Amino acid sequence: MPSHHRSPARTRVLLAEDQGMMRGALALLLGLEEDMEVVAQVARGDAIVDAALTHRPDVALLDIELPGMSGLEAAAELRGRVPDCRVLILTTFGRPGYLRRAMEAGAAGFLVKDGPVEELAAAIRRVLAGGTVVDPALATAALSAGPNPLTARECDVLKAAVDGATVSDIAARLHLSESTVRNYLSAAIGKTGTRNRMEAVREARQQGWL
């Protein structure tokens, strides 16, 4: 028998987006594509892996900025637990460091949200066929930006400093000594070329390193 019986099978898509209106619009638009079906919609990053295990999507469209867990962390977890699901990162923020981290997490594509939906549908088909899709302007910016100069620990300390926490708060939170925290903070401030920890946090976020 020829394998034509597979043709009606639609690409199963999981959508992770915390803004309800945007999520609804994307689901509606993708649902209009004859070869696609949105099988799961989640609003939190920490719901992505469970939804993927339940619905077995072919492609997961993940926003980065999600409550509970970032889309980048979820992408890395999906690679281990649902390896046959291709990941496409869809973000409002075209930050160079995000692209590098998305690729390190095993994402097959990275698009900025303001593109037309036809482009998104085409990107889904392309990653499904084994290709990669990257927003061209972002790819250029990422190459010129170079790698993240911060170590994992320096990133942890900056993340802990986000809400204006004191050195002793950060030390307690990360189970480090206060002098170690100060060393990490001053290294991060030096590497980001900023004057204080809040500026360092802002710069690291702007670059997509956090």
Side-chain angles (χ1 to χ4, degrees), residues 107-145:
F110 194 105
L111 292 176
V112 179
K113 275 184 203 167
D114 56 11
V117 74
E118 299 79 33
E119 212 171 89
L120 178 58
I124 290 174
R125 293 183 190 104
R126 210 173 319 154
V127 300
L128 208 58
T132 50
V133 183
V134 173
D135 184 270
L138 191 59
T140 312
L143 287 171
S144 61

PDB file of all heavy atoms in Angstrom, residues 107-145:
ATOM      1  N   ALA A 107      16.856  24.368  20.621  1.00  0.00           N
ATOM      2  CA  ALA A 107      15.747  24.885  19.810  1.00  0.00           C
ATOM      3  C   ALA A 107      16.115  24.822  18.328  1.00  0.00           C
ATOM      4  O   ALA A 107      17.272  25.003  17.956  1.00  0.00           O
ATOM      5  CB  ALA A 107      15.443  26.326  20.205  1.00  0.00           C
ATOM      6  N   ALA A 108      15.098  24.550  17.495  1.00  0.00           N
ATOM      7  CA  ALA A 108      15.339  24.448  16.057  1.00  0.00           C
ATOM      8  C   ALA A 108      15.049  25.765  15.353  1.00  0.00           C
ATOM      9  O   ALA A 108      15.344  25.941  14.185  1.00  0.00           O
ATOM     10  CB  ALA A 108      14.445  23.358  15.465  1.00  0.00           C
ATOM     11  N   GLY A 109      14.457  26.708  16.100  1.00  0.00           N
ATOM     12  CA  GLY A 109      14.152  27.973  15.461  1.00  0.00           C
ATOM     13  C   GLY A 109      13.949  29.075  16.472  1.00  0.00           C
ATOM     14  O   GLY A 109      13.695  28.832  17.651  1.00  0.00           O
ATOM     15  N   PHE A 110      14.066  30.311  15.996  1.00  0.00           N
ATOM     16  CA  PHE A 110      13.940  31.472  16.875  1.00  0.00           C
ATOM     17  C   PHE A 110      13.349  32.603  16.049  1.00  0.00           C
ATOM     18  O   PHE A 110      13.981  33.090  15.121  1.00  0.00           O
ATOM     19  CB  PHE A 110      15.328  31.858  17.391  1.00  0.00           C
ATOM     20  CG  PHE A 110      15.295  32.818  18.549  1.00  0.00           C
ATOM     21  CD1 PHE A 110      15.561  32.371  19.837  1.00  0.00           C
ATOM     22  CD2 PHE A 110      14.996  34.163  18.357  1.00  0.00           C
ATOM     23  CE1 PHE A 110      15.537  33.254  20.916  1.00  0.00           C
ATOM     24  CE2 PHE A 110      14.970  35.044  19.428  1.00  0.00           C
ATOM     25  CZ  PHE A 110      15.236  34.586  20.707  1.00  0.00           C
ATOM     26  N   LEU A 111      12.120  32.991  16.376  1.00  0.00           N
ATOM     27  CA  LEU A 111      11.465  34.062  15.628  1.00  0.00           C
ATOM     28  C   LEU A 111      10.998  35.165  16.560  1.00  0.00           C
ATOM     29  O   LEU A 111      10.649  34.913  17.710  1.00  0.00           O
ATOM     30  CB  LEU A 111      10.232  33.513  14.893  1.00  0.00           C
ATOM     31  CG  LEU A 111      10.489  32.528  13.751  1.00  0.00           C
ATOM     32  CD1 LEU A 111       9.164  32.027  13.215  1.00  0.00           C
ATOM     33  CD2 LEU A 111      11.296  33.169  12.629  1.00  0.00           C
ATOM     34  N   VAL A 112      10.975  36.379  16.041  1.00  0.00           N
ATOM     35  CA  VAL A 112      10.462  37.499  16.810  1.00  0.00           C
ATOM     36  C   VAL A 112       8.980  37.640  16.458  1.00  0.00           C
ATOM     37  O   VAL A 112       8.589  37.476  15.310  1.00  0.00           O
ATOM     38  CB  VAL A 112      11.276  38.773  16.498  1.00  0.00           C
ATOM     39  CG1 VAL A 112      10.738  39.964  17.267  1.00  0.00           C
ATOM     40  CG2 VAL A 112      12.741  38.542  16.844  1.00  0.00           C
ATOM     41  N   LYS A 113       8.150  37.927  17.484  1.00  0.00           N
ATOM     42  CA  LYS A 113       6.692  37.859  17.329  1.00  0.00           C
ATOM     43  C   LYS A 113       6.058  38.784  16.313  1.00  0.00           C
ATOM     44  O   LYS A 113       4.932  38.576  15.947  1.00  0.00           O
ATOM     45  CB  LYS A 113       6.026  38.152  18.682  1.00  0.00           C
ATOM     46  CG  LYS A 113       5.901  36.962  19.552  1.00  0.00           C
ATOM     47  CD  LYS A 113       5.154  37.332  20.810  1.00  0.00           C
ATOM     48  CE  LYS A 113       5.478  36.364  21.922  1.00  0.00           C
ATOM     49  NZ  LYS A 113       5.034  36.821  23.202  1.00  0.00           N
ATOM     50  N   ASP A 114       6.748  39.835  15.888  1.00  0.00           N
ATOM     51  CA  ASP A 114       6.029  40.765  15.013  1.00  0.00           C
ATOM     52  C   ASP A 114       5.967  40.330  13.548  1.00  0.00           C
ATOM     53  O   ASP A 114       5.506  41.065  12.696  1.00  0.00           O
ATOM     54  CB  ASP A 114       6.613  42.186  15.137  1.00  0.00           C
ATOM     55  CG  ASP A 114       8.109  42.203  14.843  1.00  0.00           C
ATOM     56  OD1 ASP A 114       8.627  41.188  14.356  1.00  0.00           O
ATOM     57  OD2 ASP A 114       8.755  43.232  15.113  1.00  0.00           O
ATOM     58  N   GLY A 115       6.437  39.115  13.250  1.00  0.00           N
ATOM     59  CA  GLY A 115       6.385  38.637  11.856  1.00  0.00           C
ATOM     60  C   GLY A 115       4.980  38.197  11.464  1.00  0.00           C
ATOM     61  O   GLY A 115       4.137  37.954  12.320  1.00  0.00           O
ATOM     62  N   PRO A 116       4.716  38.069  10.145  1.00  0.00           N
ATOM     63  CA  PRO A 116       3.397  37.610   9.697  1.00  0.00           C
ATOM     64  C   PRO A 116       3.167  36.135  10.009  1.00  0.00           C
ATOM     65  O   PRO A 116       4.118  35.364  10.088  1.00  0.00           O
ATOM     66  CB  PRO A 116       3.443  37.836   8.178  1.00  0.00           C
ATOM     67  CG  PRO A 116       4.884  37.908   7.827  1.00  0.00           C
ATOM     68  CD  PRO A 116       5.619  38.374   9.030  1.00  0.00           C
ATOM     69  N   VAL A 117       1.907  35.747  10.193  1.00  0.00           N
ATOM     70  CA  VAL A 117       1.607  34.367  10.590  1.00  0.00           C
ATOM     71  C   VAL A 117       2.003  33.360   9.508  1.00  0.00           C
ATOM     72  O   VAL A 117       2.359  32.227   9.802  1.00  0.00           O
ATOM     73  CB  VAL A 117       0.120  34.207  11.001  1.00  0.00           C
ATOM     74  CG1 VAL A 117      -0.784  34.242   9.782  1.00  0.00           C
ATOM     75  CG2 VAL A 117      -0.081  32.913  11.782  1.00  0.00           C
ATOM     76  N   GLU A 118       1.984  33.778   8.235  1.00  0.00           N
ATOM     77  CA  GLU A 118       2.410  32.854   7.159  1.00  0.00           C
ATOM     78  C   GLU A 118       3.857  32.438   7.392  1.00  0.00           C
ATOM     79  O   GLU A 118       4.247  31.317   7.139  1.00  0.00           O
ATOM     80  CB  GLU A 118       2.312  33.507   5.761  1.00  0.00           C
ATOM     81  CG  GLU A 118       0.923  33.947   5.354  1.00  0.00           C
ATOM     82  CD  GLU A 118       0.539  35.279   6.013  1.00  0.00           C
ATOM     83  OE1 GLU A 118       1.409  36.125   6.231  1.00  0.00           O
ATOM     84  OE2 GLU A 118      -0.663  35.429   6.305  1.00  0.00           O
ATOM     85  N   GLU A 119       4.648  33.414   7.870  1.00  0.00           N
ATOM     86  CA  GLU A 119       6.056  33.154   8.140  1.00  0.00           C
ATOM     87  C   GLU A 119       6.189  32.107   9.257  1.00  0.00           C
ATOM     88  O   GLU A 119       7.040  31.235   9.207  1.00  0.00           O
ATOM     89  CB  GLU A 119       6.699  34.465   8.598  1.00  0.00           C
ATOM     90  CG  GLU A 119       8.146  34.614   8.216  1.00  0.00           C
ATOM     91  CD  GLU A 119       8.621  36.028   8.520  1.00  0.00           C
ATOM     92  OE1 GLU A 119       9.077  36.252   9.651  1.00  0.00           O
ATOM     93  OE2 GLU A 119       8.512  36.895   7.639  1.00  0.00           O
ATOM     94  N   LEU A 120       5.309  32.230  10.255  1.00  0.00           N
ATOM     95  CA  LEU A 120       5.328  31.298  11.379  1.00  0.00           C
ATOM     96  C   LEU A 120       4.958  29.892  10.906  1.00  0.00           C
ATOM     97  O   LEU A 120       5.612  28.912  11.251  1.00  0.00           O
ATOM     98  CB  LEU A 120       4.363  31.776  12.465  1.00  0.00           C
ATOM     99  CG  LEU A 120       4.232  30.881  13.690  1.00  0.00           C
ATOM    100  CD1 LEU A 120       5.580  30.676  14.364  1.00  0.00           C
ATOM    101  CD2 LEU A 120       3.245  31.476  14.682  1.00  0.00           C
ATOM    102  N   ALA A 121       3.897  29.788  10.092  1.00  0.00           N
ATOM    103  CA  ALA A 121       3.470  28.486   9.574  1.00  0.00           C
ATOM    104  C   ALA A 121       4.588  27.868   8.721  1.00  0.00           C
ATOM    105  O   ALA A 121       4.894  26.679   8.838  1.00  0.00           O
ATOM    106  CB  ALA A 121       2.191  28.641   8.754  1.00  0.00           C
ATOM    107  N   ALA A 122       5.224  28.696   7.913  1.00  0.00           N
ATOM    108  CA  ALA A 122       6.329  28.199   7.075  1.00  0.00           C
ATOM    109  C   ALA A 122       7.495  27.735   7.948  1.00  0.00           C
ATOM    110  O   ALA A 122       8.140  26.724   7.663  1.00  0.00           O
ATOM    111  CB  ALA A 122       6.788  29.302   6.120  1.00  0.00           C
ATOM    112  N   ALA A 123       7.742  28.479   9.039  1.00  0.00           N
ATOM    113  CA  ALA A 123       8.833  28.122   9.953  1.00  0.00           C
ATOM    114  C   ALA A 123       8.545  26.786  10.628  1.00  0.00           C
ATOM    115  O   ALA A 123       9.439  25.951  10.795  1.00  0.00           O
ATOM    116  CB  ALA A 123       9.012  29.208  11.008  1.00  0.00           C
ATOM    117  N   ILE A 124       7.278  26.563  11.014  1.00  0.00           N
ATOM    118  CA  ILE A 124       6.904  25.294  11.646  1.00  0.00           C
ATOM    119  C   ILE A 124       7.167  24.145  10.670  1.00  0.00           C
ATOM    120  O   ILE A 124       7.736  23.120  11.030  1.00  0.00           O
ATOM    121  CB  ILE A 124       5.416  25.321  12.076  1.00  0.00           C
ATOM    122  CG1 ILE A 124       5.247  26.289  13.255  1.00  0.00           C
ATOM    123  CG2 ILE A 124       4.930  23.929  12.464  1.00  0.00           C
ATOM    124  CD1 ILE A 124       3.801  26.519  13.677  1.00  0.00           C
ATOM    125  N   ARG A 125       6.762  24.345   9.415  1.00  0.00           N
ATOM    126  CA  ARG A 125       6.990  23.278   8.411  1.00  0.00           C
ATOM    127  C   ARG A 125       8.481  23.026   8.222  1.00  0.00           C
ATOM    128  O   ARG A 125       8.912  21.899   8.040  1.00  0.00           O
ATOM    129  CB  ARG A 125       6.344  23.671   7.074  1.00  0.00           C
ATOM    130  CG  ARG A 125       4.825  23.717   7.151  1.00  0.00           C
ATOM    131  CD  ARG A 125       4.151  24.024   5.820  1.00  0.00           C
ATOM    132  NE  ARG A 125       2.741  24.275   6.061  1.00  0.00           N
ATOM    133  CZ  ARG A 125       2.181  25.493   6.053  1.00  0.00           C
ATOM    134  NH1 ARG A 125       2.916  26.558   5.784  1.00  0.00           N
ATOM    135  NH2 ARG A 125       0.898  25.642   6.304  1.00  0.00           N
ATOM    136  N   ARG A 126       9.250  24.110   8.248  1.00  0.00           N
ATOM    137  CA  ARG A 126      10.685  23.961   8.016  1.00  0.00           C
ATOM    138  C   ARG A 126      11.384  23.209   9.153  1.00  0.00           C
ATOM    139  O   ARG A 126      12.203  22.338   8.910  1.00  0.00           O
ATOM    140  CB  ARG A 126      11.336  25.339   7.814  1.00  0.00           C
ATOM    141  CG  ARG A 126      12.551  25.241   6.894  1.00  0.00           C
ATOM    142  CD  ARG A 126      13.145  26.577   6.524  1.00  0.00           C
ATOM    143  NE  ARG A 126      12.139  27.582   6.246  1.00  0.00           N
ATOM    144  CZ  ARG A 126      12.338  28.887   6.378  1.00  0.00           C
ATOM    145  NH1 ARG A 126      13.495  29.341   6.810  1.00  0.00           N
ATOM    146  NH2 ARG A 126      11.401  29.758   6.096  1.00  0.00           N
ATOM    147  N   VAL A 127      11.038  23.545  10.413  1.00  0.00           N
ATOM    148  CA  VAL A 127      11.703  22.833  11.518  1.00  0.00           C
ATOM    149  C   VAL A 127      11.245  21.378  11.570  1.00  0.00           C
ATOM    150  O   VAL A 127      11.994  20.491  11.937  1.00  0.00           O
ATOM    151  CB  VAL A 127      11.524  23.508  12.903  1.00  0.00           C
ATOM    152  CG1 VAL A 127      12.086  24.917  12.906  1.00  0.00           C
ATOM    153  CG2 VAL A 127      10.106  23.501  13.371  1.00  0.00           C
ATOM    154  N   LEU A 128      10.004  21.154  11.149  1.00  0.00           N
ATOM    155  CA  LEU A 128       9.476  19.788  11.123  1.00  0.00           C
ATOM    156  C   LEU A 128      10.235  18.934  10.113  1.00  0.00           C
ATOM    157  O   LEU A 128      10.429  17.741  10.300  1.00  0.00           O
ATOM    158  CB  LEU A 128       7.988  19.830  10.759  1.00  0.00           C
ATOM    159  CG  LEU A 128       7.158  18.688  11.293  1.00  0.00           C
ATOM    160  CD1 LEU A 128       7.249  18.630  12.812  1.00  0.00           C
ATOM    161  CD2 LEU A 128       5.717  18.823  10.858  1.00  0.00           C
ATOM    162  N   ALA A 129      10.665  19.582   9.034  1.00  0.00           N
ATOM    163  CA  ALA A 129      11.407  18.870   7.985  1.00  0.00           C
ATOM    164  C   ALA A 129      12.889  18.730   8.347  1.00  0.00           C
ATOM    165  O   ALA A 129      13.699  18.273   7.560  1.00  0.00           O
ATOM    166  CB  ALA A 129      11.260  19.614   6.666  1.00  0.00           C
ATOM    167  N   GLY A 130      13.232  19.182   9.580  1.00  0.00           N
ATOM    168  CA  GLY A 130      14.617  19.012  10.029  1.00  0.00           C
ATOM    169  C   GLY A 130      15.480  20.244   9.856  1.00  0.00           C
ATOM    170  O   GLY A 130      16.670  20.224  10.139  1.00  0.00           O
ATOM    171  N   GLY A 131      14.889  21.338   9.377  1.00  0.00           N
ATOM    172  CA  GLY A 131      15.675  22.553   9.173  1.00  0.00           C
ATOM    173  C   GLY A 131      15.708  23.415  10.426  1.00  0.00           C
ATOM    174  O   GLY A 131      15.095  23.088  11.441  1.00  0.00           O
ATOM    175  N   THR A 132      16.437  24.528  10.347  1.00  0.00           N
ATOM    176  CA  THR A 132      16.406  25.496  11.444  1.00  0.00           C
ATOM    177  C   THR A 132      15.970  26.836  10.859  1.00  0.00           C
ATOM    178  O   THR A 132      16.224  27.121   9.689  1.00  0.00           O
ATOM    179  CB  THR A 132      17.784  25.683  12.120  1.00  0.00           C
ATOM    180  OG1 THR A 132      18.743  25.917  11.089  1.00  0.00           O
ATOM    181  CG2 THR A 132      18.194  24.493  12.924  1.00  0.00           C
ATOM    182  N   VAL A 133      15.315  27.624  11.680  1.00  0.00           N
ATOM    183  CA  VAL A 133      14.801  28.917  11.231  1.00  0.00           C
ATOM    184  C   VAL A 133      15.224  29.965  12.246  1.00  0.00           C
ATOM    185  O   VAL A 133      14.929  29.823  13.430  1.00  0.00           O
ATOM    186  CB  VAL A 133      13.254  28.900  11.206  1.00  0.00           C
ATOM    187  CG1 VAL A 133      12.734  30.222  10.669  1.00  0.00           C
ATOM    188  CG2 VAL A 133      12.740  27.758  10.377  1.00  0.00           C
ATOM    189  N   VAL A 134      15.924  30.983  11.777  1.00  0.00           N
ATOM    190  CA  VAL A 134      16.328  32.045  12.703  1.00  0.00           C
ATOM    191  C   VAL A 134      16.040  33.392  12.067  1.00  0.00           C
ATOM    192  O   VAL A 134      16.337  33.604  10.893  1.00  0.00           O
ATOM    193  CB  VAL A 134      17.838  31.940  13.039  1.00  0.00           C
ATOM    194  CG1 VAL A 134      18.291  33.133  13.864  1.00  0.00           C
ATOM    195  CG2 VAL A 134      18.122  30.656  13.788  1.00  0.00           C
ATOM    196  N   ASP A 135      15.435  34.275  12.840  1.00  0.00           N
ATOM    197  CA  ASP A 135      15.180  35.631  12.384  1.00  0.00           C
ATOM    198  C   ASP A 135      16.503  36.237  11.898  1.00  0.00           C
ATOM    199  O   ASP A 135      17.464  36.309  12.655  1.00  0.00           O
ATOM    200  CB  ASP A 135      14.626  36.418  13.580  1.00  0.00           C
ATOM    201  CG  ASP A 135      14.237  37.821  13.195  1.00  0.00           C
ATOM    202  OD1 ASP A 135      15.098  38.708  13.284  1.00  0.00           O
ATOM    203  OD2 ASP A 135      13.080  38.020  12.811  1.00  0.00           O
ATOM    204  N   PRO A 136      16.584  36.659  10.606  1.00  0.00           N
ATOM    205  CA  PRO A 136      17.888  37.081  10.046  1.00  0.00           C
ATOM    206  C   PRO A 136      18.529  38.265  10.763  1.00  0.00           C
ATOM    207  O   PRO A 136      19.734  38.275  10.991  1.00  0.00           O
ATOM    208  CB  PRO A 136      17.565  37.431   8.586  1.00  0.00           C
ATOM    209  CG  PRO A 136      16.100  37.306   8.417  1.00  0.00           C
ATOM    210  CD  PRO A 136      15.506  36.684   9.628  1.00  0.00           C
ATOM    211  N   ALA A 137      17.714  39.256  11.135  1.00  0.00           N
ATOM    212  CA  ALA A 137      18.291  40.430  11.811  1.00  0.00           C
ATOM    213  C   ALA A 137      18.899  40.024  13.148  1.00  0.00           C
ATOM    214  O   ALA A 137      19.959  40.499  13.552  1.00  0.00           O
ATOM    215  CB  ALA A 137      17.208  41.485  12.027  1.00  0.00           C
ATOM    216  N   LEU A 138      18.223  39.105  13.815  1.00  0.00           N
ATOM    217  CA  LEU A 138      18.685  38.652  15.119  1.00  0.00           C
ATOM    218  C   LEU A 138      19.968  37.840  14.990  1.00  0.00           C
ATOM    219  O   LEU A 138      20.879  37.955  15.802  1.00  0.00           O
ATOM    220  CB  LEU A 138      17.596  37.805  15.765  1.00  0.00           C
ATOM    221  CG  LEU A 138      17.809  37.483  17.234  1.00  0.00           C
ATOM    222  CD1 LEU A 138      17.913  38.753  18.044  1.00  0.00           C
ATOM    223  CD2 LEU A 138      16.668  36.649  17.751  1.00  0.00           C
ATOM    224  N   ALA A 139      20.037  37.018  13.951  1.00  0.00           N
ATOM    225  CA  ALA A 139      21.237  36.194  13.733  1.00  0.00           C
ATOM    226  C   ALA A 139      22.459  37.092  13.563  1.00  0.00           C
ATOM    227  O   ALA A 139      23.521  36.850  14.137  1.00  0.00           O
ATOM    228  CB  ALA A 139      21.049  35.318  12.495  1.00  0.00           C
ATOM    229  N   THR A 140      22.300  38.173  12.816  1.00  0.00           N
ATOM    230  CA  THR A 140      23.405  39.113  12.596  1.00  0.00           C
ATOM    231  C   THR A 140      23.829  39.756  13.912  1.00  0.00           C
ATOM    232  O   THR A 140      25.009  39.834  14.237  1.00  0.00           O
ATOM    233  CB  THR A 140      22.949  40.222  11.617  1.00  0.00           C
ATOM    234  OG1 THR A 140      22.313  39.594  10.510  1.00  0.00           O
ATOM    235  CG2 THR A 140      24.103  41.056  11.117  1.00  0.00           C
ATOM    236  N   ALA A 141      22.822  40.192  14.694  1.00  0.00           N
ATOM    237  CA  ALA A 141      23.110  40.842  15.983  1.00  0.00           C
ATOM    238  C   ALA A 141      23.807  39.873  16.935  1.00  0.00           C
ATOM    239  O   ALA A 141      24.736  40.237  17.641  1.00  0.00           O
ATOM    240  CB  ALA A 141      21.815  41.347  16.611  1.00  0.00           C
ATOM    241  N   ALA A 142      23.348  38.611  16.931  1.00  0.00           N
ATOM    242  CA  ALA A 142      23.922  37.620  17.852  1.00  0.00           C
ATOM    243  C   ALA A 142      25.380  37.341  17.517  1.00  0.00           C
ATOM    244  O   ALA A 142      26.215  37.181  18.397  1.00  0.00           O
ATOM    245  CB  ALA A 142      23.120  36.328  17.792  1.00  0.00           C
ATOM    246  N   LEU A 143      25.678  37.292  16.224  1.00  0.00           N
ATOM    247  CA  LEU A 143      27.059  37.018  15.823  1.00  0.00           C
ATOM    248  C   LEU A 143      27.967  38.170  16.218  1.00  0.00           C
ATOM    249  O   LEU A 143      29.083  37.974  16.678  1.00  0.00           O
ATOM    250  CB  LEU A 143      27.131  36.791  14.309  1.00  0.00           C
ATOM    251  CG  LEU A 143      26.553  35.457  13.855  1.00  0.00           C
ATOM    252  CD1 LEU A 143      26.469  35.398  12.339  1.00  0.00           C
ATOM    253  CD2 LEU A 143      27.388  34.288  14.373  1.00  0.00           C
ATOM    254  N   SER A 144      27.469  39.404  16.069  1.00  0.00           N
ATOM    255  CA  SER A 144      28.327  40.547  16.402  1.00  0.00           C
ATOM    256  C   SER A 144      28.448  40.739  17.919  1.00  0.00           C
ATOM    257  O   SER A 144      29.413  41.301  18.396  1.00  0.00           O
ATOM    258  CB  SER A 144      27.810  41.817  15.737  1.00  0.00           C
ATOM    259  OG  SER A 144      26.512  42.094  16.204  1.00  0.00           O
ATOM    260  N   ALA A 145      27.446  40.242  18.664  1.00  0.00           N
ATOM    261  CA  ALA A 145      27.476  40.442  20.125  1.00  0.00           C
ATOM    262  C   ALA A 145      28.489  39.539  20.817  1.00  0.00           C
ATOM    263  O   ALA A 145      28.987  39.863  21.885  1.00  0.00           O
ATOM    264  CB  ALA A 145      26.085  40.190  20.708  1.00  0.00           C
TER     265      ALA A 145
END
